[in-house]
Amino acid sequence: MSNRRKRLVSVLALLTMTAGLFAGVAGCKKDESGNTGGAKDTIVIATMSETPSLTNNEHNAVAGGYMNLLTYEGLLRRGMDMKPEPCLAESYEAISDTEWEFKIRKGVKFHTGEEMTVEDVKASLDWAQNFPLIKTSTENIKQVDIVDDETIKITTFEPCAIILDNLTGTSNAIVPKKLIDEGNNFNENPIGTGPYVFKEWKMGDSLTFEAFEDYWDGEPKIKNMIWKIIPEGSSRTIALEAGEIDFIVEVEQMDIDRLQSNDEIEVYQYEATDYNYLQMNHEYGALGNQLVRHAINAAINKENVVTVAANNLGTPVKSQTPMNLIGCSEENADDYDVEKAQQYLAESGVDPSTINFSIICSNDMKKRAGEVIQADLKKIGISCTLESMDLATYLSATTEGNYSACIGGYNTTDQLIYCKGLFHSESIGGSNRARLADPKVDELIEEAMVTLDADERQKIVEELNAYLNELCVHIPLWQPIALRAYNAKLKGVEINAVGNLYFQNCYWEE
């Protein structure tokens, strides 16, 4: 085990022993004793970024994913152990290397009150094929057939190692065929089978949901849900402490000690697959030069980035993919070495004084990371500026390639899904914001995708990772220790490594 892996494990173990979870009771007033009183039928959740869309297929933003888990569901979902588990399909089985059959759960209702049928399932999976931003989750499906009134068969183009993982995401959510045919605007009217029904969106301020009374797995115990958009981390902390909100999705790392010392607040920490990096557009000037990227990589002190940006709640990384996903490799990766960075620049033939680019930062943490990067690059003669931008604008600009660099992040459940999304040429215009188009990368990803033997697939993925490090596609920065914060009276909180929290399982302590 590498020193970085050991450090992550030890830090996580220490933090897990010294902390728990937290939220506040929304809509409730404190009595004279200071205790929270009133009805426990509401939860107010604070998040730093507003979703760009309430659809399940016209975005790939984490902020949108939180909303999607409330209103939409797929045939499968991601369990707390990160494995696919039945959701709208009550069971499934492989009938060949390219064919899977799914038994559809009976009695499931849409928010319209109509019962879900196999026709809805087929129509939804076929419809999902039309959206480029989610194509990494849909493109392996060749055909969807109705076998009988309760059975769907999905056929892939070739053996697919990640087909079940793809079906756990809301990209392949099941929605009413009738609404698809009518051209329903799912951004304004996000109808699914999920535990909560969308009620109102006040742009720039809040989104409101209500528990779905006919939810197939039982009506959620917390009836009303409000998501407040609070971009500034310290403001989220203050609101939680004051009882104005109940749950913080993105905890301000600089406030962690203060939150942990509050007996009424719990801080939940977990080893996530989140991964933060300096993303560079390979079509922008000198950033397309592999040696220049290596120079930038070697010049940045990742330890300082973690200290300044994340208050040491994270682990510096060297590899191009998350270290807690199978197949990660540090072969060909750069260490922090300013002298080596200068050698890379000399070999590149590019005058560092001519390298000038802007780094987009969509939140305070990224801005702090950008400040460290800016100072480090100045030492080797490279100039960069920091540009603040809201999430929706940032996603649009980087997806379309209208940028030079940004502090990016990616969260995934599987190494292959990660690599397909960030590095395959078919993902340009989606999550491949580096706009990388490398035939060898594509070939290795495609080979791994059709290799069903786990050991053989891991060998291919390790070779791929070593090659990605050689290309230095982006600049690895750190993997955070993920945090959630909320009132200690909120129970049933459980979060998996990809950050899924099923709020339908939460309830207020009596």
Side-chain angles (χ1 to χ4, degrees):
M1 183 182 291
S2 70
N3 289 335
R4 286 179 173 78
R5 291 175 187 264
K6 289 177 181 177
R7 178 187 172 191
L8 178 61
V9 172
S10 61
V11 170
L12 283 168
L14 175 61
L15 290 174
T16 301
M17 288 189 291
T18 58
L21 299 163
F22 79 135
V25 182
C28 302
K29 297 180 180 179
K30 290 188 177 181
D31 60 27
E32 293 181 357
S33 66
N35 295 322
T36 302
K40 303 288 200 304
D41 65 350
T42 301
I43 182 170
V44 178
I45 303 162
T47 186
M48 71 178 177
S49 301
E50 187 167 29
T51 177
S53 174
L54 288 175
T55 65
N56 67 308
N57 44 35
E58 295 181 344
H59 72 89
N60 50 23
V62 172
Y66 298 139
M67 305 297 105
N68 291 162
L69 283 176
L70 301 174
T71 55
Y72 301 111
E73 294 176 309
L75 293 176
L76 307 177
R77 68 181 172 192
R78 184 72 54 184
M80 289 300 118
D81 60 359
M82 294 296 289
K83 296 178 181 178
E85 64 181 26
C87 187
L88 298 184
E90 62 182 12
S91 64
Y92 57 92
E93 65 174 338
I95 56 177
S96 76
D97 284 350
T98 58
E99 296 173 303
W100 292 79
E101 283 192 352
F102 298 82
K103 293 293 182 182
I104 306 306
R105 193 177 298 278
K106 298 178 182 178
V108 174
K109 290 185 178 181
F110 291 112
H111 299 158
T112 59
E114 298 174 321
E115 190 165 323
M116 182 189 71
T117 68
V118 287
E119 284 78 13
D120 295 309
V121 176
K122 174 175 169 53
S124 297
L125 296 177
D126 288 344
W127 180 59
Q129 299 285 331
N130 298 312
F131 299 90
L133 285 178
I134 61 167
K135 66 182 180 180
T136 56
S137 297
T138 62
E139 64 187 357
N140 297 309
I141 297 176
K142 177 182 180 182
Q143 188 171 322
V144 180
D145 295 302
I146 296 174
V147 177
D148 55 42
D149 288 346
E150 60 180 27
T151 310
I152 285 286
K153 183 175 75 171
I154 295 177
T155 304
T156 57
F157 285 97
E158 50 194 347
C160 181
I162 61 170
I163 184 60
L164 295 182
D165 294 273
N166 285 341
L167 293 173
T168 64
T170 53
S171 295
N172 285 303
I174 309 306
V175 299
K177 179 180 185 297
K178 179 181 177 181
L179 292 185
I180 295 174
D181 294 341
E182 293 174 352
N184 176 64
N185 184 335
F186 283 88
N187 187 46
E188 297 178 355
N189 187 36
I191 297 296
T193 64
Y196 283 87
V197 180
F198 168 73
K199 304 303 290 185
E200 184 182 23
W201 185 357
K202 296 179 181 178
M203 291 286 187
D205 179 70
S206 62
L207 296 98
T208 304
F209 299 83
E210 186 177 282
F212 182 30
E213 293 181 357
D214 292 327
Y215 183 53
W216 63 269
D217 202 23
E219 182 182 359
K221 293 182 175 63
I222 300 178
K223 182 176 179 60
N224 303 300
M225 176 181 289
I226 301 169
W227 287 69
K228 294 287 293 182
I229 313 303
I230 306 178
E232 187 179 32
S234 60
S235 296
R236 294 193 296 274
T237 299
I238 293 169
L240 179 63
E241 292 172 328
E244 297 171 359
I245 64 170
D246 304 318
F247 192 104
I248 299 178
V249 176
E250 302 91 357
V251 179
E252 173 54 61
Q253 288 93 339
M254 300 304 171
D255 294 339
I256 187 66
D257 292 339
R258 165 178 163 185
L259 290 168
Q260 287 178 332
S261 67
N262 189 328
D263 292 339
E264 295 182 356
I265 292 173
E266 293 192 7
V267 179
Y268 187 97
Q269 303 157 20
Y270 61 97
E271 182 180 355
T273 59
D274 292 42
Y275 182 91
N276 296 313
Y277 48 85
L278 173 62
Q279 179 71 76
M280 295 172 291
N281 183 350
H282 291 200
E283 296 176 353
Y284 182 87
L287 300 185
N289 186 307
Q290 181 174 324
L291 289 170
V292 169
R293 296 196 299 272
H294 274 292
I296 293 172
N297 194 16
I300 297 172
N301 186 329
K302 315 294 176 60
E303 296 276 355
N304 286 349
V305 171
V306 176
T307 298
V308 173
N311 195 24
N312 287 317
L313 291 171
T315 301
V317 288
K318 293 169 55 177
S319 60
Q320 294 287 309
T321 65
M323 63 183 135
N324 51 349
L325 293 180
I326 295 174
C328 176
S329 170
E330 292 188 352
E331 184 180 350
N332 301 324
D334 293 308
D335 291 309
Y336 171 54
D337 187 334
V338 177
E339 184 177 337
K340 182 65 176 177
Q342 293 169 331
Q343 291 177 10
Y344 279 133
L345 277 177
E347 292 173 22
S348 75
V350 179
D351 182 350
S353 67
T354 66
I355 304 174
N356 194 328
F357 58 93
S358 172
I359 301 175
I360 298 173
C361 307
S362 61
N363 59 48
D364 291 342
M365 180 182 66
K366 292 179 180 179
K367 185 177 180 181
R368 293 193 297 267
E371 289 169 350
V372 176
I373 292 169
Q374 186 181 44
D376 283 346
L377 294 186
K378 186 177 181 180
K379 296 174 184 177
I380 60 170
I382 294 177
S383 298
C384 63
T385 57
L386 305 183
E387 180 180 3
S388 295
M389 192 176 288
D390 67 86
L391 180 66
T393 307
Y394 151 78
L395 289 172
S396 176
T398 55
T399 299
E400 295 170 4
N402 297 325
Y403 81 110
S404 52
C406 66
I407 307 292
Y410 202 71
N411 192 356
T412 188
T413 57
D414 179 86
Q415 178 76 252
L416 272 181
I417 294 175
Y418 184 93
C419 291
K420 183 67 184 290
L422 257 65
F423 305 120
H424 198 286
S425 61
E426 290 181 356
S427 299
I428 294 174
S431 299
N432 182 354
R433 294 180 169 89
R435 308 185 78 77
L436 174 70
D438 187 281
K440 183 176 179 179
V441 170
D442 289 356
E443 180 183 346
L444 288 170
I445 291 173
E446 291 161 10
E447 182 183 359
M449 294 277 281
V450 300
T451 304
L452 301 183
D453 182 272
D455 291 337
E456 290 302 313
R457 185 167 63 251
Q458 181 173 338
K459 292 177 183 177
I460 299 169
V461 172
E462 288 174 352
E463 179 184 355
L464 168 64
N465 270 253
Y467 183 57
L468 291 170
N469 290 337
E470 180 183 334
L471 292 177
C472 196
V473 182
H474 53 228
I475 309 304
L477 296 175
W478 83 98
Q479 279 189 245
I481 294 170
L483 306 169
R484 298 288 187 267
Y486 55 95
N487 183 301
K489 291 185 177 181
L490 186 70
K491 304 300 179 183
V493 176
E494 192 176 10
I495 306 171
N496 64 20
V498 78
N500 289 353
L501 192 162
Y502 300 115
F503 278 102
Q504 63 267 33
N505 298 330
C506 297
Y507 58 95
W508 288 114
E509 182 180 63
E510 295 296 333

